[in-house]
Amino acid sequence: MATRYAFSIDLDRCIGCQACVVACKTGNEVPLTDSFIAVRDIVRGQSPNFFGSFAHQRCFHCGDAACVSVCPTGALSKWNGLTVVDVDKCSACGYCTDACPYKVPHITDNHVSKCIACLDLVKDGESPWCAQTCPSQAIKFGEREAILASAKTRVATIAARYPNANVYGETQLGGLGLLMILLEKPAVYGLPEKPEITLRLEAWQQVVQPASVGLTLTAVAVTGLSFIIARRQHLREKAAAPAPAETAAEGKSAEVRPEQSAAESKERKENG
Amino acid sequence: MASESMRLVRRYLPAQRLVHWIGVLTFLTLLFSGIALLVPPLAFLAAGGTSRLIHRIAIVPFVLLPIAYVILNPKQTKELLVESFTFTRDDLEWFKHMPAYFFGRTKGLPPQGRINAGQKLHHATTFLMFVIVAASGFVLLFGKGQLGPDGLALAAMAHDLSMLGLTVMMIGHLYFTLLYDALNSMLTGFVTEEYAKMEHPKWLEELPPNAFVVKSKEGDQTSAPKAKSP
């Protein structure tokens, strides 16, 4: 089985320094106006009982990725557990921006923009820029099993200080490729407890889209085949009706002048 | 052969034919540029936004043309809508004969007016589907990024299904056109009296005498008839 990679972000270690954001931008040559990842402060509670932490807005590399399932061109795809981007294939349709439960992908400069997991580095056996740069070693990257195990160990370690600490992403959406070591419940960070690919989205992808194409092709096939039968029938009927002198078929009187039907049979031959 | 001539009946005005053929062109453009997002082997058309640009350009005539026609020809539009949505007993009878008609049998068809029951169904469905496809298209175009998964799925399903309806209607339309040699009516605006007798006898009876023209068979077949009978 192929390797399954994953990130983890330890919010007990994160100091909110934005080094990962800068490293990502620089390393991936992301335009100034765009960004693959973002870190912002969150403060909850009333004085004097504050709770402060950092929320990371970035791709979760979902096991069952809604963006990949709606992407019509294959610009978004899965590679060893990571959701990777082929900008050249992108049509900027924007389906991914609406389908993602975390509102991560966005359209910039006529193509999709989101964390690309520094695929070139990973393929060379190195860690992505954010993980390499993090000064407090809050961001890790590696094989998912090992990353998950170490995340669980970390949660156990900080449990005394943060009783609500948990690993976010072990099971959600087929298991996320970014495991968050949260100090509080997911809702505190604005993360959905049980995100899912909605039934409607699945109905659209699994039923409506194939049915639309399939029924159209069926209609083409059915009309194509029955045309041969129907055309023959129509021509027989047409020949029979106006020309009793020629065929005397069905004993019907002439409704149309014979020269007309002669002209039509000429036309018919021309039409093949 | 020398005295060949036939009586033709005017069926479509030039403006109606223009709307029809520009409609055909824009519809097919929208269909194929849109289908690039549904059929994976055609995805290369969408890469870089090529099909998106074509799709967006074709929207303009597709939406504006019917609106312009409605504004410029309110009388004909009203007639068409009323006729298309009024189903009579004869129409129900016609639908019973529809399977036979589908396989090329016109005998026993109940007499039909200017628009036969199948055309009524075609018009009515086309009108409704047009509204749905245009509305859902505008939602997809201007709501991008703000729809959420369910909003996207709803709008896209409405767009796909109304387009499926329109496409199947178009295939059926083309089928009957070719089956009963009706293409000329939309090319020249005229049908033969024989055809009108077969498909629309009630309409033929109500027509004023000046609706007929006599066309010489010796002339160019595609040229518009010149002589009008008094």
Side-chain angles (χ1 to χ4, degrees):
Chain A
M1 216 183 119
T3 320
R4 190 172 175 193
Y5 291 111
F7 293 83
S8 72
I9 298 181
D10 184 342
L11 291 180
D12 184 40
R13 283 187 170 152
C14 176
I15 55 172
C17 68
Q18 309 281 340
C20 53
V21 177
V22 175
C24 170
K25 257 183 180 266
T26 317
N28 290 310
E29 297 180 2
V30 182
L32 275 176
T33 49
D34 190 17
S35 191
F36 290 166
I37 62 179
V39 181
R40 59 187 169 80
D41 305 358
I42 55 166
V43 180
R44 298 284 185 268
Q46 295 279 317
S47 174
N49 297 314
F50 285 120
F51 166 76
S53 189
F54 302 102
H56 290 240
Q57 172 74 6
R58 54 188 286 174
C59 178
F60 277 97
H61 297 279
C62 310
D64 298 326
C67 61
V68 172
S69 88
V70 297
C71 180
T73 62
L76 294 166
S77 60
K78 295 301 288 183
W79 180 85
N80 289 358
L82 302 170
T83 305
V84 296
V85 181
D86 184 344
V87 167
D88 291 338
K89 284 186 182 170
C90 181
S91 71
C93 67
Y95 290 172
C96 54
T97 61
D98 281 309
C100 175
Y102 299 106
K103 298 189 169 73
V104 168
H106 45 281
I107 304 292
T108 307
D109 198 20
N110 274 328
H111 60 75
V112 64
S113 167
K114 71 163 210 63
C115 165
I116 54 171
C118 299
L119 196 59
D120 292 345
L121 292 183
V122 172
K123 281 184 173 169
D124 282 348
E126 290 183 64
S127 281
W129 291 114
C130 58
Q132 283 190 33
T133 310
C134 182
S136 57
Q137 290 166 3
I139 305 178
K140 285 184 179 167
F141 180 85
E143 288 192 26
R144 190 169 185 272
E145 260 175 55
I147 291 284
L148 180 61
S150 86
K152 282 179 171 169
T153 312
R154 278 293 296 159
V155 165
T157 312
I158 62 175
R161 279 183 292 141
Y162 299 105
N164 288 334
N166 63 92
V167 178
Y168 181 83
E170 183 176 358
T171 54
Q172 285 89 343
L173 295 165
L176 302 182
L178 166 58
L179 300 157
M180 299 289 285
I181 297 163
L182 302 180
L183 308 181
E184 279 296 333
K185 294 208 163 89
V188 174
Y189 293 89
L191 293 170
E193 195 96 37
K194 284 180 185 154
E196 54 183 15
I197 300 182
T198 66
L199 192 66
R200 277 185 200 162
L201 208 60
E202 296 218 35
W204 172 41
Q205 287 296 310
Q206 312 292 332
V207 182
V208 173
Q209 283 202 344
S212 299
V213 177
L215 289 174
T216 302
L217 293 178
T218 308
V220 171
V222 166
T223 48
L225 285 176
S226 58
F227 187 82
I228 301 166
I229 305 165
R231 182 73 182 164
R232 239 179 238 168
Q233 167 65 30
H234 174 60
L235 292 181
R236 211 179 303 140
E237 202 177 66
K238 225 172 156 186
E246 285 171 28
T247 56
E250 300 186 35
K252 247 202 136 187
S253 66
E255 285 178 317
V256 186
R257 291 182 299 276
E259 61 263 36
Q260 225 169 306
S261 76
E264 263 148 22
S265 64
K266 195 177 94 190
E267 207 173 87
R268 234 174 285 144
K269 271 174 210 151
E270 281 164 8
N271 291 343
Chain B
M1 297 292 271
S3 63
E4 270 183 21
S5 71
M6 62 206 300
R7 264 149 71 85
L8 298 174
V9 191
R10 181 181 271 289
R11 187 151 168 81
Y12 296 111
L13 298 168
Q16 292 170 323
R17 276 147 52 208
L18 187 74
V19 170
H20 178 269
W21 286 114
I22 297 179
V24 170
L25 212 66
T26 51
F27 178 79
L28 289 177
T29 308
L30 287 165
L31 174 64
F32 284 104
S33 58
I35 223 163
L37 291 188
L38 258 82
V39 182
L42 294 179
F44 72 94
L45 293 170
T50 314
S51 65
R52 180 170 44 109
L53 180 69
I54 295 169
H55 205 73
R56 286 182 179 179
I57 292 170
I59 289 168
V60 180
F62 186 69
V63 174
L64 289 188
L65 198 73
I67 294 175
Y69 180 79
V70 168
I71 292 169
L72 294 175
N73 303 281
K75 211 179 120 219
Q76 279 102 332
T77 306
K78 201 183 151 203
E79 249 172 48
L80 182 69
L81 281 180
V82 169
E83 258 183 291
S84 298
F85 282 94
T86 314
F87 287 87
T88 63
R89 195 170 290 276
D90 271 346
D91 293 327
L92 290 178
E93 279 300 310
W94 192 93
F95 281 122
K96 282 186 200 158
H97 283 84
M98 178 117 177
Y101 182 68
F102 185 81
F103 285 107
R105 201 179 282 272
T106 58
K107 238 174 269 169
L109 275 180
Q112 296 285 300
R114 188 175 79 91
I115 303 177
N116 72 31
Q119 287 167 329
K120 282 183 185 180
L121 185 71
H122 179 97
H123 288 175
T125 317
T126 302
F127 178 76
L128 292 176
M129 295 291 171
F130 175 83
V131 172
I132 297 172
V133 84
S136 57
F138 275 92
V139 169
L140 287 169
L141 181 60
F142 294 111
K144 192 184 275 195
Q146 297 145 47
L147 298 173
D150 276 346
L152 169 71
L154 269 186
M157 280 194 277
H159 205 61
D160 288 357
L161 290 176
S162 50
M163 205 56 191
L164 167 67
L166 285 172
T167 308
V168 170
M169 281 286 157
M170 181 199 67
I171 293 167
H173 181 55
L174 192 64
Y175 175 82
F176 287 117
T177 301
L178 296 179
L179 176 56
Y180 293 112
D181 300 307
L183 187 61
N184 253 337
S185 77
M186 205 36 104
L187 290 175
T188 64
F190 290 85
V191 294
T192 62
E193 195 178 4
E194 181 206 18
Y195 171 84
K197 211 173 266 175
M198 173 180 80
E199 295 266 9
H200 311 279
K202 280 206 279 188
W203 171 63
L204 196 62
E205 281 166 23
E206 290 162 12
L207 280 176
N210 64 4
F212 296 88
V213 292
V214 177
K215 183 192 175 190
S216 163
K217 267 280 170 182
E218 285 145 4
D220 182 4
Q221 294 230 351
T222 55
S223 71
K226 286 153 204 156
K228 277 199 175 185
S229 68

